[in-house]
Amino acid sequence: MIVTSANSKTLSELDRPNSYIGKAVPRPNLERLMQGRGLYVSDIELPRMAHVAFLRSPHAHAKIKGIEVTEARRLTGVVAIVTGKELAAVITPWVGVLSHLKGLKSAPQHAIAIDRVCWQGEAVAAVVATSRAVAEDAVDIVQVQYEELDAVTDMRTALDPEPPVIHASLGDNLAFERNLDAGTVDAAFADSDSVVEADFIFGRHTGVTLEPRSVVADWNAAEERLTIYQGTQAPHMVQNIAALHLRLEEAQVRVVCKDVGGSFGIKVHIYADEMATYALSKLLRRPIKFVADRVESFNTDIHARDHRCKGRIGVKRDGTIMAFEIDDLTGIGPYSMYPRTSAIEANQVVNLVGGPYVTRNYRARARAVFQNKNVMCQYRAVGHPIACSVTEGLVDLAAAKIGMDPVEIRRRNLIADDAYPCASPSGLRFELLSHHAAMNRLIKMMDYDGLRAEQAALRSKNIHRGIGIASFIEVTNPSAGFYGVGGARISSQDGVAVRLDAQGSVICQTSITEQGQGSESLTAQIVGSVLGVSLERVRVILDDTDNTPYGGGTWASRGAGIGGEAALQAAKILRKNVLDVAAAILQSSPAELDIVNNAVVNASDGSSRIDLRELARIVYFRPDTLPPGIQPELMATRHFVPREYPFAFTNGVQASWLEVDTDTGFVRLLRHWVVEDCGTIINPQLVDEQIRGGVVQGLGAALFEKCIYDERGQLTNANMADYLVPMSGEMPDIDVGHVVSPTLETELGAKGAGEAGTAGAAAAVANAVNDALTPFGAIITEIPLTPQVILTALGRI
């Protein structure tokens, strides 16, 4: 069920006969993928292609004293062994900073380490061979002499005088700090009837994409042009950065992104081993393929969410929230990731804590520190799960302190649905949200009162079930104010070119990318709806910088809201052009005509006048029959970028119903509910499955996933046996509902939905576990909620 807000608007261009907007239609790429016809980077084979395997440091921090490659070079099939110093002559280093994040610093990073390694897994040499197997055999023969150095592993002591400074040129291990003080925080706490404090701990984890990071780089010396085949979320960003650091013009680099087996933000960054692969192709003048294995993925794919956050909330007896205060500390690894930087997540935590609530009093500090662990950076729902878990955890603790129901305290403090536009204490501007409508919808969906009664009855039988609620806001449709303002060459616009081909079908070229979320489908649905063309006659081309308009790609839930609007506007222009030429052919006026079911029809009665196939035949092959002065243009290109608001915020609320076995510490998820507001819904099935997928990732963070390091900076569980991910057997039914509040900044009205599920899932589960443990007086503010954590809180171990 979809609840439409009072502020929703009519989409005149899309509210037409046979519109596909709001319909669950099959994906255009479904049959191809189901038949095993997908084309992934691993499938690409090129003439003279060689394979690269990287020799990676076993130490978290060490000097490279020498590399001996003589024996390895003798191995049959070895093409070259390249060190960092040799590769540095081909590709320049980079520094991951943004100018608008004041004080953010990082050291230059090379494609392959030259003098020193800063985390276990950093590459120290590249072995290129005729096969991956030969390259790996040669890697085992290369001898490296290291001088192991003390490693900085605990972010809590990284700023103390005793630990070494990882990069001496930076002066200390502080990468970034942000302080915010809004309202009258001290006075608000003093005026509170109750103040609750808690330390929230979040386990570092990673994306575990089904397809690992992969790239084929092909330098054509004759054309002086590099073609990069890569599973990436942002092809034009890769093109720009590869050209910059290889000292090429952008026109000398082409990026092709075929099918991608999941991304979740993992594949939106620039990695050192990928940069090394580009450079190796240029150096060796032949195609080079790199496909990470699973251990490499765990050690080099960005990690996320390693935070320790002290939180405080003040409330009145009537439930009024007076103030929030947080002090967030996060370890980001030895470098700030390039080009999006590793400070964005901490910055987002500051921005988003307390976001759904009315209080104006908010103080925050966030610090990001360097450490000798793998680099941390953006992953699905950047900062949102941290901010939501801290906010909603504090709200639940405050409700318990004053004896108020968790839903009631939220209803008394959530921003009213008629209070928009408004701003948060951190400066976020909200155009239109629907917290109360979403909460009302959720309570009805889950039968909240019925569950409370069932919970009470089961407790008398020593069965401990809990209900957890978590309201959230989500950043989508980012403008240039997110990255461009800080100097990062990451486009905030997207472009779409639409043309009618010679047989009356539609070709649509778009700059957004497809990693399984449905970009191809939503683009076809929008274009088909505007043009009155059936979906089987719309072909969408994505992910090729030579053949698509310039754009940002897919990240931060921007595909529908930005790319979709560009598709809408391009299709509108093409529709006008088609009707103009149809009017000339039919001796009518464009206003009297429409396009429905692949034909131009009378707008008044829907009677068919000319099929698009026939119109295209005339335009392309018999233009001599057209009236004088008519020059048909059956192609249109439009770009779109948000301007009025820096972001299109979405919102929602989640609930978890679970059971805790207090003897074993195991948690059994019974049911999960989500109500979210992503504006105009283009394909309900795709939106719901995106949300469910996001919830599953959030549940993984809540109960299973954690990258475990020892005191020497060794990742101890870099495999699928020891790093736990949620499987189908652990997942509950996930019910999804919607409230629709379209953004007025676009005609389409779509916001993002891809990260909403992840944003609030962990917070809902944590609150539900604490609710289940109420009879024991145990409070847990740490995830993942492993049996060990739960039994420790219960005093059982």
Side-chain angles (χ1 to χ4, degrees):
M1 178 178 176
I2 297 173
V3 179
T4 304
S5 79
N7 293 304
S8 25
K9 60 185 180 181
T10 301
L11 303 172
S12 57
E13 286 294 335
L14 300 177
D15 189 21
R16 305 177 59 249
N18 302 307
S19 171
Y20 295 104
I21 301 303
K23 295 181 180 178
V25 300
R27 299 178 182 221
N29 59 0
L30 185 62
E31 286 298 319
R32 177 175 63 84
L33 295 175
M34 291 297 290
Q35 292 179 25
R37 303 294 293 179
L39 181 63
Y40 299 88
V41 173
S42 295
D43 299 319
I44 295 174
E45 298 289 337
L46 300 177
R48 298 182 63 249
M49 187 174 76
H51 299 256
V52 61
F54 292 97
L55 174 60
R56 299 186 182 275
S57 170
H59 304 292
H61 198 197
K63 288 182 180 179
I64 303 171
K65 304 295 287 184
I67 302 178
E68 175 54 53
V69 301
T70 304
E71 284 298 315
R73 279 188 172 138
R74 292 195 183 110
L75 198 65
T76 301
V78 170
V79 174
I81 301 177
V82 182
T83 64
K85 186 176 181 180
E86 293 169 318
L87 205 62
V90 182
I91 190 164
T92 61
W94 54 89
V95 180
V97 296
L98 292 170
S99 61
H100 68 299
L101 297 180
K102 186 179 179 180
L104 172 61
K105 62 191 180 188
S106 187
Q109 185 178 359
H110 289 269
I112 296 178
I114 295 177
D115 300 314
R116 186 169 55 104
V117 291
C118 292
W119 84 91
Q120 177 209 356
E122 186 172 9
V124 299
V127 177
V128 180
T130 52
S131 72
R132 171 75 184 213
V134 171
E136 289 182 351
D137 288 344
V139 162
D140 291 338
I141 300 174
V142 175
Q143 299 294 315
V144 182
Q145 182 183 355
Y146 295 100
E147 178 187 331
E148 191 169 1
L149 303 172
D150 290 338
V152 179
T153 57
D154 190 339
M155 61 184 173
R156 293 170 294 179
T157 60
L159 301 179
D160 292 349
E162 294 79 16
V165 174
I166 296 175
H167 304 292
S169 62
L170 301 181
D172 57 32
N173 290 323
L174 180 64
F176 174 69
E177 180 173 352
R178 180 186 173 190
N179 290 276
L180 173 71
D181 201 333
T184 55
V185 176
D186 291 332
F189 276 117
D191 196 34
S192 299
D193 293 320
S194 292
V195 176
V196 181
E197 300 181 358
D199 290 337
F200 295 87
I201 302 171
F202 301 89
R204 171 188 276 242
H205 55 278
T206 187
V208 198
T209 56
L210 187 62
E211 178 199 26
R213 290 185 299 106
S214 310
V215 58
V216 172
D218 182 14
W219 172 254
N220 186 318
E223 295 181 349
E224 292 193 320
R225 198 153 193 257
L226 177 68
T227 300
I228 298 170
Y229 303 90
Q230 184 168 335
T232 175
Q233 297 173 236
H236 285 99
M237 181 196 78
V238 173
Q239 177 192 40
N240 179 276
I241 289 174
L244 174 66
H245 293 284
L246 290 169
R247 302 182 184 91
L248 301 172
E249 297 297 319
E250 238 183 65
Q252 290 179 272
V253 179
R254 178 190 181 190
V255 178
V256 180
C257 178
K258 297 295 186 179
D259 294 305
V260 182
S263 293
F264 319 128
I266 296 296
K267 298 173 183 174
V268 80
H269 310 286
I270 296 294
Y271 290 84
D273 47 24
E274 295 166 354
M275 295 282 266
T277 305
Y278 313 155
L280 286 167
S281 179
K282 191 168 186 289
L283 177 69
L284 301 175
R285 301 161 70 92
R286 65 191 296 171
I288 306 293
K289 175 185 277 191
F290 166 64
V291 179
D293 62 30
R294 188 56 64 184
V295 173
E296 284 180 303
S297 293
F298 275 115
N299 280 285
T300 62
D301 288 0
I302 61 105
H303 294 174
R305 316 266 209 261
D306 194 3
H307 289 253
R308 302 182 74 97
C309 188
K310 296 180 179 179
R312 190 158 69 120
I313 185 173
V315 292
K316 303 289 278 186
R317 291 188 187 88
D318 65 359
T320 302
I321 297 174
M322 300 296 292
F324 286 101
E325 182 175 16
I326 66 161
D327 187 352
D328 181 57
L329 180 66
T330 181
I332 64 167
Y335 299 100
S336 174
M337 194 68 178
Y338 188 63
R340 296 168 189 268
T341 85
S342 300
I344 290 292
E345 183 164 271
N347 198 58
Q348 287 284 73
V349 172
V350 173
N351 284 338
L352 297 171
V353 164
Y357 298 104
V358 173
T359 181
R360 311 306 304 165
N361 306 306
Y362 175 42
R363 180 183 293 142
R365 177 174 73 159
R367 290 171 296 164
V369 299
F370 294 118
Q371 56 187 172
N372 293 116
K373 297 180 180 179
N374 186 24
V375 178
M376 285 246 300
C377 202
Q378 283 89 307
Y379 166 59
R380 191 175 196 168
V382 183
H384 294 67
I386 310 301
C388 185
S389 293
V390 171
T391 302
E392 296 301 289
L394 288 172
V395 170
D396 258 28
L397 292 174
K401 187 73 175 290
I402 62 174
M404 183 173 287
D405 182 81
V407 171
E408 182 60 26
I409 194 172
R410 288 172 171 81
R411 281 179 163 156
R412 295 189 183 195
N413 290 280
L414 289 167
I415 300 170
D417 291 354
D418 60 359
Y420 299 95
C422 66
S424 73
S426 63
L428 301 178
R429 295 169 55 211
F430 303 136
E431 178 196 13
L432 182 61
L433 301 176
S434 55
H435 290 296
H436 289 271
M439 182 66 78
N440 292 340
R441 176 83 181 104
L442 178 83
I443 297 308
K444 184 177 180 180
M445 283 173 59
M446 65 187 295
D447 184 17
Y448 181 77
D449 292 337
L451 285 182
R452 284 295 183 200
E454 182 179 349
Q455 177 189 44
L458 290 171
R459 275 184 181 168
S460 65
K461 301 175 182 178
N462 202 32
I463 297 173
H464 299 282
R465 293 186 176 180
I467 302 170
I469 306 289
S471 294
F472 64 89
I473 54 176
E474 179 196 352
V475 175
T476 77
N477 296 7
S479 71
F482 204 42
Y483 290 120
V485 70
R489 302 294 289 267
I490 300 169
S491 180
S492 56
Q493 71 168 17
D494 272 301
V496 173
V498 184
R499 64 183 169 91
L500 194 71
D501 73 9
Q503 290 191 323
S505 294
V506 177
I507 309 298
C508 178
Q509 297 157 289
T510 176
S511 61
I512 63 173
T513 57
E514 173 75 72
Q515 295 94 43
Q517 74 276 54
S519 296
E520 188 175 344
S521 181
L522 72 88
T523 302
Q525 285 181 249
I526 293 168
V527 170
S529 297
V530 173
L531 290 175
V533 175
S534 56
L535 286 185
E536 63 269 16
R537 292 179 65 171
V538 179
R539 183 162 70 92
V540 179
I541 298 172
L542 317 92
D543 310 338
D544 184 342
T545 57
D546 268 10
N547 292 298
T548 58
Y550 205 96
T554 304
W555 44 273
S557 300
R558 64 192 303 279
I562 298 178
E565 182 67 15
L568 170 64
Q569 297 303 328
K572 283 178 62 178
I573 299 301
L574 179 57
R575 180 173 180 271
K576 177 182 180 303
N577 294 348
V578 169
L579 291 178
D580 285 344
V581 70
I585 294 171
L586 300 172
Q587 298 183 350
S588 182
S589 71
E592 296 175 317
L593 302 173
D594 196 1
I595 309 174
V596 178
N597 291 332
N598 309 309
V600 177
V601 302
N602 284 330
S604 58
D605 59 11
S607 59
S608 181
R609 299 292 303 278
I610 184 172
D611 191 274
L612 289 180
R613 187 184 298 267
E614 175 63 12
L615 182 145
R617 185 193 68 81
I618 294 171
V619 168
Y620 287 115
F621 307 121
R622 290 304 310 273
D624 55 304
T625 64
L626 296 173
I630 297 295
Q631 179 58 53
E633 183 60 73
L634 298 188
M635 184 170 185
T637 303
R638 284 294 181 271
H639 287 80
F640 176 74
V641 62
R643 299 293 294 274
E644 186 175 350
Y645 284 87
F647 311 99
F649 279 93
T650 71
N651 71 276
V653 59
Q654 299 193 31
S656 176
W657 173 238
L658 53 77
E659 183 177 313
V660 180
D661 186 325
T662 55
D663 291 324
T664 66
F666 279 90
V667 175
R668 184 161 65 98
L669 299 167
L670 302 172
R671 199 76 175 266
H672 200 95
W673 297 268
V674 184
V675 175
E676 67 82 55
D677 184 346
C678 64
T680 300
I681 297 172
I682 298 166
N683 186 318
Q685 185 179 47
L686 287 180
V687 170
D688 287 359
E689 295 313 315
Q690 275 287 294
I691 290 169
R692 289 189 177 98
V695 166
V696 169
Q697 287 189 293
L699 297 178
L703 297 175
F704 306 108
E705 298 185 52
K706 185 177 182 180
C707 298
I708 302 172
Y709 282 86
D710 67 18
E711 67 280 356
R712 295 176 57 241
Q714 299 291 308
L715 181 58
T716 63
N717 62 333
N719 59 77
M720 296 301 292
D722 298 322
Y723 182 98
L724 302 181
V725 295
M727 306 292 281
S728 59
E730 288 84 44
M731 289 302 98
D733 286 340
I734 302 170
D735 298 321
V736 181
H738 300 278
V739 175
V740 178
S741 302
T743 174
L744 300 178
E745 189 164 3
T746 66
E747 190 171 340
L748 181 62
K751 306 174 186 176
E755 296 165 291
T758 310
V765 168
N767 283 348
V769 168
N770 281 328
D771 185 52
L773 299 181
T774 298
F776 302 90
I779 296 175
I780 305 174
T781 54
E782 175 181 355
I783 61 171
L785 289 152
T786 62
Q788 181 179 7
V789 168
I790 291 172
L791 293 177
T792 301
L794 290 171
R796 304 288 172 85
I797 59 173

